[in-house]
Amino acid sequence: MRINDIVRIGPVVPVLQFDSVEQGESVAQALLDGGVRVLEVTLRTPAAMAVIERVARLSDQMVVGVGTLTRPEQFAMAVSAGARFGVSPGFTSALGEAAQAAGLPLLPGVATPSEILAAQAAGYDIVKFFPAEPAGGVPMLKALHGPFADLRFCPTGGITAESAPSYLALPNVVCVGGSWLTPKAVVDRRDWVAITRLAQAAAALRPAQHSA
């Protein structure tokens, strides 16, 4: 499955980090119950790879990605754990080569026109705009649409349930990434029903790219 296909499965890609495998499995099931089929598990906790391995076996409908890829050696590990795509906060040729060698579709992070040019030169036409809000948000993406009309973005970083529709209304946005579907307080009290409700609301959003 290509990145182009993955980012069009749903309008919101939850960006997740977990303290335990059990927590990750419960959250993933709650998200799936709410209609969210794609998620990104970030390598920010020791449990991350084990969570990916467990969640990847949860359902054939679930597409599990690995986030915060910053070193080439992480790609092969992610594939072994069952990840079906990778996400990086930035992009280097070494990361691109590692993704290709591991056979892991990559969503590379960019924040500036120069970084976009580097990603395009490596063959990418869908990128992660990160950190979205600090890097200029909706106005920046509107400005980038002119010189990069064929490029599509998955903005991530500081996006909320309230701001997501503004991003998804842009013609160059295919989906958004965010952590608002799994508030820490809700996860801590194991309120999986609340997470399913948040997932249902997110899955109901309609990007301009999907309705065109």
Side-chain angles (χ1 to χ4, degrees):
M1 184 177 285
R2 305 173 307 155
I3 280 292
N4 305 53
D5 303 314
I6 293 169
V7 297
R8 288 180 168 85
I9 291 174
V12 179
V13 178
V15 180
L16 311 167
Q17 62 181 50
F18 298 111
D19 298 324
S20 70
V21 173
E22 292 73 24
Q23 186 186 69
E25 183 176 24
S26 296
V27 169
Q29 185 63 60
L31 291 169
L32 184 61
D33 290 345
V36 172
R37 295 176 47 213
V38 179
L39 53 83
E40 173 192 339
V41 178
T42 64
L43 297 180
R44 298 178 186 175
T45 66
M49 283 296 184
V51 170
I52 291 167
E53 189 170 356
R54 177 77 64 85
V55 173
R57 299 198 303 264
L58 194 61
S59 168
D60 291 339
Q61 296 298 309
M62 184 70 78
V63 180
V64 184
V66 56
T68 323
L69 289 167
T70 58
R71 301 193 307 275
E73 62 268 22
Q74 294 171 324
F75 286 79
M77 294 168 57
V79 171
S80 296
R84 296 175 65 182
F85 69 100
V87 184
S88 60
F91 178 73
T92 65
S93 58
L95 292 180
E97 290 166 6
Q100 191 168 30
L104 187 69
L106 178 65
L107 186 66
V110 301
T112 68
S114 294
E115 292 168 358
I116 289 172
L117 289 171
Q120 283 187 317
Y124 293 93
D125 57 8
I126 295 181
V127 295
K128 168 184 174 178
F129 179 56
F130 177 82
E133 282 290 296
V138 168
M140 182 65 163
L141 285 166
K142 287 180 177 179
L144 291 171
H145 187 49
F148 302 107
D150 295 332
L151 196 67
R152 296 296 175 261
F153 294 90
C154 172
T156 305
I159 298 175
T160 65
E162 292 73 30
S163 63
S166 297
Y167 281 93
L168 292 168
L170 299 176
N172 55 346
V173 169
V174 287
C175 64
V176 298
S179 57
W180 79 86
L181 278 69
T182 55
K184 186 178 186 306
V186 175
V187 174
D188 287 346
R189 68 172 181 263
R190 302 174 62 83
D191 189 348
W192 312 134
V193 173
I195 289 177
T196 294
R197 290 197 189 106
L198 290 169
Q200 288 171 332
L205 295 172
R206 287 291 174 263
Q209 280 284 305
H210 288 208
S211 58

